[in-house]
Amino acid sequence: MKRNIWVTIAALVILAIAAFVYFAFLRQRPVLTAVTWSGAYGRAQASALFIPYEQKTGVDVHIAQYDGGLKELRRTVESKQYGWDIIDLELPDAIAACHEGLLEHVDGASLPPGEDGNSAASDFVANAIGPCWVGSVVYSQVIAYAPARFGSAKAISLSDFFDTTRFPGPRAMKSTSAKFNLELALLADGVAPKDVYSVLSTDQGVDRALKKLDSIRSSIVWWTHSSEPVAMLSDGRAAFATVLNGDVYEAALHHRALGVIWDRQLYELDVFGIPRGDPKREMATDFVRFATSTSSVSSVARWVPYGPARLSAARLGNENPELKIAMQPFSPTAPGHWRTAFAIDDNWWLLHGAEIAPRWQSWVNR
């Protein structure tokens, strides 16, 4: 009898070990391929999202990189060869992809509430939840200036950018696109944020924006590449410059601290989308819910100078884990920065950008 008991116990131990080996090493784990950007942002997502999701679910997250655009996404959906399951998209590309039917529908009601209890619909910033996407981070165009340029005077508002008497000197602006420039001009001219695009939809509205820019035209110097504005401020070619907030952060890391006007920052987002028809869409949707929770978007914002797309995350501490510096001073959604933030309407630009472009270039080259 005792021998039979020991044989049974031994058999159970062997089965347990075999089961452990199978589930731990031999069983094929489900795979989810996430597509993101190279550099610091992609590394931030790996640390804050991809690895934690693997640890939580046992899903093997493969990371692929791309340089934006929709070419590969179109090929994926048309061929039904799904090598991508989750894509980090800039919002203009997500809107265009949604119009083309390249992305799965997203049920905003299924997203988790904020950690403060507010629903996802009220917790995400404007434009972060769309029919085919969910926002992750916010980045923005701000106005930067060289602090030493104006002595004790401190520029704090959009109106200061247009005040060439109190704050003299060249203003560096992007020449290649009317987007951002026309919104900035109308906001400076007193148009209510809710009315900017209805005003801009008329010829008279475009005229009004260009007239406001005419008021500082003699002070405008142009930039075309995002690396230029900080350099122009540093070497004295510009007193003010429109610049991406991430470049302000990079300048600070290289000991070139800039003054920043957060008033009327113009923001866009990076968002998650799922290729239409992807057989792993349920798993991908689960990842999106995980990756856009309050704690997840807050975690990403600890690594890079982009604001979490949820308001409930904006007040959470976000010291960079490697550099041990506070990231909130560079974050678009930080308290104190967000009060007058303006959401760029990329859907409007998709519909109207082509007709405005010739007028803008004619004005620039005048």
Side-chain angles (χ1 to χ4, degrees):
M1 178 68 69
K2 289 183 177 180
R3 181 176 182 278
N4 289 340
I5 292 174
W6 282 109
V7 169
T8 301
I9 292 174
L12 291 174
V13 169
I14 292 171
L15 287 173
I17 293 173
F20 173 80
V21 171
Y22 172 74
F23 284 103
F25 301 104
L26 300 179
R27 182 174 67 95
Q28 186 174 8
R29 298 170 64 186
V31 174
L32 191 70
T33 300
V35 182
T36 186
W37 308 80
S38 62
Y41 181 55
R43 293 194 298 274
Q45 288 189 316
S47 298
L49 304 178
F50 303 147
I51 294 173
Y53 187 73
E54 284 186 336
Q55 294 170 338
K56 178 183 178 183
T57 64
V59 171
D60 189 1
V61 180
H62 289 183
I63 304 173
Q65 295 179 347
Y66 83 138
D67 294 321
L70 301 181
K71 183 178 179 180
E72 185 61 31
L73 175 59
R74 291 190 188 99
R75 183 161 46 240
T76 293
V77 174
E78 290 170 1
S79 68
K80 301 189 184 303
Q81 301 296 315
Y82 292 95
W84 292 0
D85 303 306
I86 291 287
I87 309 171
D88 185 286
L89 298 145
E90 292 180 332
L91 184 55
D93 279 345
I95 291 172
C98 198
H99 276 274
E100 292 185 37
L102 299 176
L103 297 174
E104 285 286 328
H105 172 74
V106 172
D107 179 10
S110 72
L111 298 171
E115 288 188 1
D116 57 3
N118 286 331
S119 68
S122 61
D123 192 35
F124 278 90
V125 303
N127 297 344
I129 301 178
C132 307
W133 66 84
V134 182
S136 175
V137 298
V138 175
Y139 58 92
S140 66
Q141 175 188 279
V142 296
I143 297 170
Y145 62 93
R149 185 107 183 197
F150 306 118
S152 61
K154 184 178 181 180
I156 59 174
S157 69
L158 175 58
S159 62
D160 293 333
F161 181 75
F162 284 85
D163 186 350
T164 56
T165 300
R166 187 172 176 223
F167 297 98
R171 274 72 170 146
M173 302 181 73
K174 186 177 181 179
S175 66
T176 54
S177 174
K179 187 169 77 168
F180 293 99
N181 292 321
L182 297 187
E183 289 96 335
L184 196 73
L186 289 180
L187 290 168
D189 204 40
V191 176
K194 66 181 179 63
D195 297 328
V196 164
Y197 288 105
S198 60
V199 171
L200 206 52
S201 295
T202 66
D203 288 339
Q204 294 83 357
V206 177
D207 289 340
R208 180 175 176 178
L210 295 178
K211 183 178 179 181
K212 183 64 177 178
L213 291 172
D214 272 331
S215 70
I216 59 169
R217 185 183 179 90
S218 62
S219 297
I220 294 177
V221 291
W222 298 113
W223 61 266
T224 57
H225 301 291
S226 62
S227 61
E228 295 178 84
V230 170
M232 296 172 78
L233 291 171
S234 298
D235 64 21
R237 283 177 290 162
F240 288 97
T242 57
V243 60
L244 294 175
N245 76 286
D247 292 327
V248 173
Y249 168 75
E250 290 296 327
L253 291 185
H254 292 87
H255 308 291
R256 291 185 291 179
L258 299 172
V260 180
I261 297 175
W262 290 98
D263 181 42
R264 298 305 183 195
Q265 60 165 306
L266 307 175
Y267 77 87
E268 294 185 293
L269 300 107
D270 262 37
V271 303
F272 288 116
I274 302 168
R276 187 172 182 179
D278 183 8
K280 297 179 182 178
R281 56 184 169 271
E282 290 186 11
M283 190 192 311
T285 300
D286 182 68
F287 171 82
V288 170
R289 294 192 189 103
F290 169 84
T292 58
S293 67
T294 297
S295 60
S296 291
V297 294
S298 176
S299 184
V300 173
R302 295 173 63 206
W303 293 90
V304 286
Y306 306 133
R310 299 190 75 137
L311 299 175
S312 59
R315 290 175 174 81
L316 300 182
N318 66 342
E319 182 182 80
N320 185 289
E322 292 179 334
L323 301 177
K324 305 302 180 184
I325 62 173
M327 299 298 283
Q328 279 193 335
F330 307 99
S331 172
T333 56
H337 296 171
W338 190 247
R339 186 175 59 85
T340 62
F342 180 84
I344 293 293
D345 188 340
D346 287 300
N347 190 63
W348 187 91
W349 281 102
L350 181 67
L351 298 174
H352 300 281
E355 65 190 65
I356 285 183
R359 290 195 64 187
W360 171 252
Q361 288 304 320
S362 175
W363 184 84
V364 168
N365 297 324
R366 195 176 66 197

